[in-house]
Amino acid sequence: MAPLISAGLNIILFLGTVRQPRNADRVLKFIQPALEARNITVTVFDPLELHLDEVIKPIQYYNKSAETIPQSLLDLQTRIKAADGFVVVTAEYHGSIAPGLLNVMNQFPPNAYVFRPGAIFSYSKGRFGGIRAAMQLRSYLSDLGLIQVPGITAIPFVEERVALNGTTIDKSIDKSAEATIDQLIWFAEAIKNEKAAHGLRCTDCFDDTNLGYKGLPYNNKK
């Protein structure tokens, strides 16, 4: 079966680590061309370039009547809201999600992400390919309102199987990535078309003041 080619999707790729030297760069050079070959426009949110480590208050915690939200955060949120879907790339630190990734994504409320698909790519130097971080990421992304595509691409022994220029020596990684991207395109276009035809059935379920779904008893005033 031929790979799906998108009708022109806009995808944000969250890169998940700032630790140097980092294997995230070789994984990015593997994934980004694979997405762009499917007629997808890729915007990379790299924590090394965004410098959000100095931001200690996410958008949803600002008092809009008394505080000014940094324009840099508002601009990033606008780009996130305009995306058709997301690719999230994480290393595995001590069996968990890379903290640089969480620091970036936590700056924005769920309504910035909600009702779009998310695809997970994980990696590690060892044989499990970061799958423990990927499983935790499933729960985390769901709480943001993202729709999880069924597949996950986990890349084991990343330094041996993905070169610095992004080429791979393991065809199983290529096949897994192809399937994950197929699913991302399928869900993103299905949701985009349904939204255009019928709109969202829950347009105000999430807003900038809630940490999650409005129907849940969130009342965090920190």
Side-chain angles (χ1 to χ4, degrees):
M1 185 179 297
L4 290 179
I5 303 298
S6 84
L9 294 172
N10 173 28
I11 299 297
I12 288 179
L13 186 154
F14 288 96
L15 203 58
T17 181
V18 297
R19 182 181 292 176
Q20 295 292 328
R22 62 178 190 172
N23 288 311
D25 295 306
R26 67 177 77 207
V27 176
L28 174 64
K29 290 177 182 177
F30 164 57
I31 299 170
Q32 186 169 356
L35 292 166
E36 292 174 340
R38 309 286 199 94
N39 195 32
I40 293 172
T41 299
V42 181
T43 301
V44 179
F45 275 34
D46 184 344
L48 274 181
E49 297 178 359
L50 296 178
H51 303 294
L52 293 180
D53 53 306
E54 297 180 1
V55 178
I56 60 173
K57 183 183 290 189
I59 282 180
Q60 63 266 34
Y61 285 121
Y62 280 84
N63 182 337
K64 293 181 181 179
S65 63
E67 297 179 292
T68 300
I69 301 173
Q71 188 60 46
S72 59
L73 280 185
L74 293 174
D75 291 343
L76 291 173
Q77 178 175 244
T78 296
R79 298 171 75 178
I80 292 171
K81 286 185 174 182
D84 298 309
F86 306 93
V87 169
V88 185
V89 180
T90 186
E92 182 175 297
Y93 289 0
H94 303 294
S96 188
I97 305 167
L101 172 64
L102 295 177
N103 186 59
V104 172
M105 299 192 76
N106 280 341
Q107 304 301 328
F108 309 98
N111 81 329
Y113 304 99
V114 68
F115 302 130
R116 264 80 49 77
I120 298 171
F121 286 76
S122 65
Y123 64 92
S124 71
K125 292 183 178 182
R127 61 193 174 107
F128 296 117
I131 195 65
R132 292 177 295 178
M135 291 297 98
Q136 294 176 31
L137 198 54
R138 275 207 184 279
S139 175
Y140 171 76
L141 296 180
S142 293
D143 200 58
L144 291 179
L146 288 181
I147 299 166
Q148 306 286 309
V149 306
I152 291 174
T153 295
I155 303 173
F157 304 112
V158 63
E159 293 179 338
E160 301 172 19
R161 299 185 181 181
V162 182
L164 289 172
N165 65 1
T167 59
T168 63
I169 62 168
D170 187 337
K171 296 303 180 184
S172 67
I173 295 173
D174 297 328
K175 290 181 180 179
S176 177
E178 181 178 297
T180 300
I181 295 171
D182 268 353
Q183 293 167 11
L184 179 68
I185 292 172
W186 192 95
F187 276 93
E189 293 195 335
I191 293 167
K192 188 175 182 179
N193 293 338
E194 184 68 14
K195 181 180 177 181
H198 303 293
L200 293 176
R201 288 293 185 259
C202 189
T203 56
D204 64 346
C205 288
F206 292 79
D207 65 24
D208 286 345
T209 63
N210 282 274
L211 296 180
Y213 188 64
K214 274 189 174 182
L216 296 177
Y218 288 116
N219 190 28
N220 194 321
K221 301 298 184 181
K222 292 183 180 178

